[in-house]
Amino acid sequence: MNRIFQTKQSKQENLIYLAVWGMLFAAPLLSLYVRTVNDTNLVFDWTEVFLVWRKFAVYLLLFLVHNFLLAPLLVYRHQRAAYFTIVVVILLAFGFYQYNSKPRYIEPRGPRPPMEQFDRREPPPFDKHGPRPGHRPDMPPPIVGERDILAILVLILMFGANLGIKGYFRSRDDRKRLAEMEKKNLEQQLEYLRYQISPHFFMNTLNNIHALVDIDPEKAKDTILELSKMMRFVLYEGNKQGVPLSRELDFIRHYVKLMQLRYTDKVRIDTSLPSEVPDRQIPPLILITFIENAFKHGISYQQESFVDVKVSVKDDELWFSCRNSKAGVSNEVKGGVGLTNVRKRLDLLYEQNYTLRILDDVDVYTVELTLPLKY
């Protein structure tokens, strides 16, 4: 995946550089063309274009060296000392090149005339380009002129722009890789939580069947049939990110029916599940944990108790409510992982887009959950 991101980044960078340099090299052609069109006395002279291109070629060569050799030292390898050392050497070499490539002063032959005659003398001969503007004709050109300083500043700005573009693509690449790592981490956490939920659920269900074997063997047989239906759902649907809401509600019905086979008439179990639901998906086994917890901690054999489960769907939102009486002592061994895991799953899957309210009153324990059906 990282190689794919780097390939895309390299292509986009190269397209930007190609467009910029293409416009720079096309600028003198366009400028000369416009001038020849507006002034019929001018002739399109390629010599002038080649002269500008020759100067641009030096900048292009230094840019290529910086882009492919120097910038990676700073942006990718963080070798600041090596980068700045080489850049300083390049700037000094470029300044030396500028000094050697500017017009040379030719010392006039013969006796030097008095200073007061300089204003009446012809300017001293220079090679090809004549005297530098603003420079006294009796003095040689300075070592560093305004044009030299400007050329070095342009080179520094070019290096800085190259670093900025490369740094932007590097940071974007880092953000993409970080998002990919977070996504993989999320998937691994969800897989881990699902693998914990399934054994935890079946452990409690098998305990229920074990209690029925000696009490009512016929009910135990029916319980095993219901369990087989539930196992089919867990095995084939439990490892998916989302399952149809109708399948999840069917799973709840099977579980509640299984629990009704175990308990006597002293336990009131009421369910209100919609028979028709929209074609939406929900994370598997996200609701059953609350219902399982209600039976685990809310049923008492010594006194009347109840479990009340309600599910409704409105405006692409699922509203879930589970109320149960509170037994003095839990019927099961404490120390499960169900509620802890379901909270983690909700946080990972929905972040802040869900509402979970748990009311722990004196005699009644209530869970209210609202989920967006976004799957």
Side-chain angles (χ1 to χ4, degrees):
M1 187 62 65
N2 293 341
R3 293 182 179 179
I4 295 176
F5 289 147
Q6 291 176 359
T7 302
K8 290 183 178 180
Q9 172 186 324
S10 178
K11 288 181 180 179
Q12 292 178 356
E13 271 193 73
N14 291 335
L15 287 176
I16 293 176
Y17 300 146
L18 182 62
V20 172
W21 283 106
M23 289 187 292
L24 286 176
F25 275 87
L29 278 175
L30 182 61
S31 176
L32 184 58
Y33 173 77
V34 172
R35 282 186 290 152
T36 54
V37 170
N38 294 332
D39 190 351
T40 56
N41 296 325
L42 292 179
V43 180
F44 192 92
D45 187 6
W46 280 96
T47 304
E48 180 180 346
V49 176
F50 289 145
L51 181 64
V52 178
W53 280 0
R54 186 179 65 181
K55 295 181 180 180
F56 282 178
V58 176
Y59 285 102
L60 177 59
L61 177 61
L62 294 176
F63 170 79
L64 293 176
V65 172
H66 183 269
N67 181 65
F68 292 105
L69 298 179
L70 300 183
L73 289 177
L74 184 62
V75 176
Y76 296 104
R77 302 178 187 175
H78 305 289
Q79 298 179 4
R80 295 180 177 85
Y83 170 80
F84 286 108
T85 301
I86 299 175
V87 167
V88 170
V89 172
I90 290 179
L91 293 176
L92 293 175
F94 180 73
F96 181 76
Y97 166 79
Q98 287 289 109
Y99 171 75
N100 288 331
S101 62
K102 65 186 177 182
R104 299 293 183 181
Y105 172 75
I106 302 177
E107 187 70 28
R109 297 180 180 180
R112 187 181 185 89
M115 291 297 296
E116 61 270 10
Q117 298 181 8
F118 265 104
D119 56 345
R120 297 189 298 270
R121 284 176 54 84
E122 293 292 332
F126 284 78
D127 61 351
K128 296 184 182 179
H129 305 288
R132 294 169 64 96
H135 179 67
R136 287 178 54 184
D138 61 325
M139 297 293 292
I143 296 178
V144 179
E146 295 179 1
R147 294 184 179 179
D148 301 327
I149 297 176
L150 181 61
I152 294 176
L153 288 177
V154 169
L155 184 62
I156 294 175
L157 291 175
M158 183 180 70
F159 287 172
N162 185 211
L163 286 177
I165 294 175
K166 195 170 289 291
Y168 165 76
F169 282 104
R170 171 62 189 273
S171 62
R172 192 189 67 170
D173 177 43
D174 290 341
R175 289 194 299 270
K176 288 184 178 180
R177 286 190 284 116
L178 180 61
E180 186 68 20
M181 290 175 60
E182 290 178 348
K183 181 180 178 182
K184 290 182 179 179
N185 184 48
L186 171 63
E187 293 175 352
Q188 291 175 354
Q189 291 185 56
L190 291 175
E191 286 294 326
Y192 173 73
L193 294 176
R194 282 197 293 261
Y195 288 148
Q196 282 189 317
I197 287 174
S198 297
H200 176 262
F201 168 77
F202 283 117
M203 177 185 67
N204 291 332
T205 305
L206 289 174
N207 286 336
N208 294 338
I209 296 176
H210 178 267
L212 282 175
V213 169
D214 295 330
I215 299 174
D216 193 336
E218 292 300 324
K219 282 188 177 181
K221 293 179 181 179
D222 294 336
T223 302
I224 293 174
L225 291 178
E226 294 297 327
L227 179 61
S228 66
K229 297 176 183 179
M230 296 165 63
M231 288 183 63
R232 187 179 297 108
F233 177 85
V234 173
L235 290 175
Y236 294 103
E237 307 290 344
N239 61 346
K240 296 180 180 179
Q241 292 187 355
V243 296
L245 178 58
S246 58
R247 299 289 301 277
E248 182 76 8
L249 295 181
D250 287 340
F251 182 82
I252 293 176
R253 292 187 181 95
H254 290 309
Y255 179 81
V256 172
K257 185 176 180 181
L258 185 150
M259 302 307 291
Q260 287 175 331
L261 293 173
R262 175 180 178 180
Y263 296 114
T264 64
D265 295 337
K266 289 185 177 181
V267 178
R268 180 173 56 85
I269 302 175
D270 294 326
T271 59
S272 177
L273 306 179
S275 57
E276 296 183 0
V277 293
D279 187 15
R280 295 290 188 272
Q281 291 193 336
I282 187 174
L285 305 175
I286 201 73
L287 303 178
I288 195 64
T289 305
F290 298 111
I291 302 174
E292 179 189 13
N293 187 70
F295 281 100
K296 178 180 178 181
H297 299 285
I299 303 300
S300 172
Y301 293 106
Q302 287 77 28
Q303 59 188 20
E304 293 186 358
S305 53
F306 71 93
V307 173
D308 185 9
V309 178
K310 294 181 180 180
V311 176
S312 61
V313 178
K314 184 178 181 181
D315 297 331
D316 284 339
E317 276 193 343
L318 181 140
W319 184 81
F320 169 82
S321 173
C322 182
R323 298 175 66 251
N324 62 271
S325 55
K326 294 178 66 175
V329 180
S330 174
N331 297 318
E332 308 290 345
V333 179
K334 295 185 178 180
V337 295
L339 286 179
T340 301
N341 281 347
V342 77
R343 285 179 180 273
K344 292 180 180 179
R345 290 184 69 196
L346 289 171
D347 290 336
L348 292 172
L349 290 169
Y350 295 96
E351 296 181 351
Q352 305 298 325
N353 298 322
Y354 76 95
T355 302
L356 176 61
R357 296 177 65 246
I358 297 179
L359 305 176
D360 192 358
D361 296 329
V362 178
D363 298 323
V364 180
Y365 188 86
T366 305
V367 175
E368 295 179 353
L369 176 65
T370 304
L371 296 178
L373 297 175
K374 60 180 181 178
Y375 288 90

